[in-house]
Amino acid sequence: MRPVEIQIHQVSGQLGLNITQPNINLKITAPDIQMKTTPANLELTIEPPEIFIDSREAFDSMGLQGTYSYANSLAQEAKQAAVQGIERRVSIMRQMEDPQSGSVGQVVAAASQPPEKEVVIGLSPSVRPSISAKLGTVKGTYTPARIDATVHEGKIVNNFTWGRVDIYMEREPSIDIKT
């Protein structure tokens, strides 16, 4: 018998790997904030106070009169002088009618004396000036500050791909036996 020779030829199998790496593709847009500020504003309207001083009566009391006041006082004096003159003439005429009053010359001489006039000039007024006042005002208009903001949101876009491992047979295992 002859020895039997067995030949075994073995080929190992081989696996292949197809690897796809994971991938993250992030796209980020930052938020956009637009701000507009308006400052506070204060507007003041001021009406100043007024003081009214009427010193006509004070000046009149010192003999320092204005044009109209002086004209009025002269008119009053003229009126009084006319009335007094008429009264004097009437009185003279009555004296001339009366035989006991003396001669006509004596009556006329007595009547020809000028009347005394008293002039008063003062250094300080006897009447106070009239003083009045109107108060001033302050009006304000206030506008508060403002902040107007517009916000555009940011965005995050994510393109994510999972990683992958594909296994395939690159070479099939085999056993070949020959006798």
Side-chain angles (χ1 to χ4, degrees):
M1 243 221 289
R2 195 166 151 212
V4 177
E5 205 176 292
I6 300 178
Q7 285 186 349
I8 300 175
H9 183 26
Q10 176 183 352
V11 176
S12 299
Q14 189 172 357
L15 294 176
L17 297 176
N18 215 358
I19 300 174
T20 306
Q21 296 291 328
N23 185 19
I24 293 180
N25 187 7
L26 289 177
K27 197 177 216 180
I28 300 173
T29 306
D32 181 27
I33 301 174
Q34 296 175 349
M35 296 178 74
K36 179 183 176 190
T37 58
T38 305
N41 187 22
L42 177 62
E43 291 182 21
L44 295 177
T45 304
I46 300 172
E47 186 177 314
E50 294 181 52
I51 298 175
F52 303 100
I53 301 174
D54 183 8
S55 55
R56 262 188 318 226
E57 291 181 22
F59 283 130
D60 287 350
S61 72
M62 293 189 303
L64 303 171
Q65 297 172 329
T67 306
Y68 293 114
S69 177
Y70 185 62
N72 285 337
S73 67
L74 286 180
Q76 289 295 328
E77 284 181 27
K79 192 177 193 182
Q80 286 176 354
V83 169
Q84 287 174 356
I86 292 171
E87 287 175 355
R88 270 184 47 219
R89 295 205 185 212
V90 169
S91 170
I92 290 171
M93 293 307 276
R94 287 197 179 141
Q95 285 178 6
M96 285 186 183
E97 289 176 350
D98 187 10
Q100 295 175 354
S101 55
S103 69
V104 174
Q106 290 175 340
V107 173
V108 171
S112 65
Q113 295 293 326
E116 292 184 17
K117 182 176 179 181
E118 185 178 320
V119 176
V120 177
I121 297 177
L123 298 176
S124 66
S126 60
V127 178
R128 292 185 177 184
S130 172
I131 300 174
S132 61
K134 177 184 169 190
L135 296 177
T137 58
V138 177
K139 295 178 183 175
T141 304
Y142 175 71
T143 306
R146 284 185 56 172
I147 298 176
D148 296 318
T150 304
V151 178
H152 299 285
E153 294 182 1
K155 292 181 182 179
I156 299 176
V157 178
N158 178 12
N159 290 327
F160 176 71
T161 313
W162 286 98
R164 193 172 155 173
V165 177
D166 293 324
I167 302 173
Y168 62 93
M169 276 303 228
E170 195 171 291
R171 187 173 53 207
E172 292 285 331
S174 65
I175 297 179
D176 191 17
I177 301 175
K178 291 187 187 176
T179 51

